Amino acid sequence: LLQVFKENAIKSQQGGSKGAHSNNKGIVRHTEEERLLLRQEEMMVLESIFGPENVSVLDEGHVRIKVDLNRAAGSYLHFFTASSSNYPDDSPLILLQQPSLSSSIRYELMEQLAKQALTLRGELAMFGCISWLQDAIQDILSKYEQKEQQEAEKQRALRFAALTRGGNRVKTQEEEDEVYYQNLEKDLAEKRKAKDSKATDNKKPTHDATSS
């Protein structure tokens, strides 16, 4: 997955401007030298904030930062900026690494991070994206927990409907177990009765049919 992100970064961020200028959206385009200096400055700032032990350059254009997300401890954000990209004029690709979160939540968070990164085009986006995630993740997780709870309640309602389908309530597992043990006791009682009856018959005196 990391390799896919890296390849996408190279494809989507190739090219570069030869001089600083503003595009039609008002985003300042930096020269190649300015972009290099900005990236170096950003790395220094990130290391001073999160600690050099939590900021790693895994490859050219690939930065991994360990961040504190409260309920999702031990999280890593991967930022991909190809060496030929225009970052920070172009937004980076972002991957969230957190095994304790479900894939649906991680994809939702990465989608929101991508939108946030777009609003920071022309600026050093890594710290801004991390700050946004730290502020937003609590609400996002709460919404997903609420959604999962609603889904669980829906499933319980469906199971209850299945038990009462057609007006003939289907027995629960506990009720089926109770019926089973009642039938078992009844069967054992009948066997004991048959055994006692046979023993009584064996005690009765027998008469020789030939003697008279």
Side-chain angles (χ1 to χ4, degrees), residues 188-204:
L188 291 174
E190 290 177 350
K191 288 181 178 180
R192 284 195 298 267
K193 183 177 180 181
K195 184 178 180 181
D196 293 342
S197 177
K198 184 177 181 181
T200 302
D201 291 340
N202 290 336
K203 292 179 180 180
K204 291 181 179 180

Side-chain angles (χ1 to χ4, degrees), residues 6-177:
K6 188 182 302 181
E7 292 173 355
N8 289 340
I10 294 173
K11 292 178 182 178
S12 65
Q13 299 177 328
Q14 282 180 337
S17 56
K18 298 184 182 295
H21 65 279
S22 298
N23 62 15
N24 56 4
K25 294 184 179 180
I27 298 175
V28 176
R29 308 294 295 188
H30 301 87
T31 65
E32 183 177 350
E33 182 179 358
E34 288 172 338
R35 290 195 296 270
L36 179 60
L37 291 174
L38 285 169
R39 293 176 191 174
Q40 292 174 346
E41 177 185 344
E42 183 173 38
M43 291 302 299
M44 293 174 59
V45 172
L46 291 172
E47 289 181 354
S48 67
I49 294 174
F50 300 104
E53 70 279 4
N54 295 320
V55 180
S56 306
V57 179
L58 302 182
D59 199 354
E60 187 176 7
H62 178 189
V63 178
R64 183 186 69 183
I65 302 174
K66 184 177 181 180
V67 295
D68 180 14
L69 298 180
N70 295 326
R71 293 169 59 187
S75 301
Y76 292 89
L77 279 177
H78 296 257
F79 294 89
F80 296 88
T81 59
S83 59
S84 58
S85 76
N86 293 333
Y87 177 77
D89 300 337
D90 294 334
S91 58
L93 295 179
I94 307 172
L95 171 67
L96 172 61
Q97 181 183 0
Q98 175 45 261
S100 68
L101 297 178
S102 67
S103 58
S104 59
I105 293 180
R106 281 189 285 112
Y107 288 140
E108 170 69 17
L109 290 172
M110 286 190 288
E111 183 178 351
Q112 295 297 327
L113 281 168
K115 294 178 180 179
Q116 183 66 19
L118 283 175
T119 68
L120 297 172
R121 287 177 60 188
E123 305 175 25
L124 299 175
M126 295 187 191
F127 177 72
C129 288
I130 294 172
S131 297
W132 173 87
L133 182 60
Q134 289 175 325
D135 292 338
I137 191 170
Q138 182 66 36
D139 289 339
I140 294 175
L141 291 179
S142 296
K143 288 179 181 178
Y144 264 88
E145 288 175 352
Q146 183 179 6
K147 182 179 179 181
E148 291 177 352
Q149 182 178 359
Q150 291 173 347
E151 182 63 25
E153 291 175 353
K154 180 181 177 181
Q155 293 299 323
R156 284 195 294 270
L158 290 174
R159 288 195 295 269
F160 179 78
L163 292 175
T164 58
R165 186 170 46 248
N168 297 321
R169 194 174 72 83
V170 180
K171 292 184 176 64
T172 64
Q173 185 62 50
E174 290 79 4
E175 290 173 329
E176 290 181 351
D177 290 343

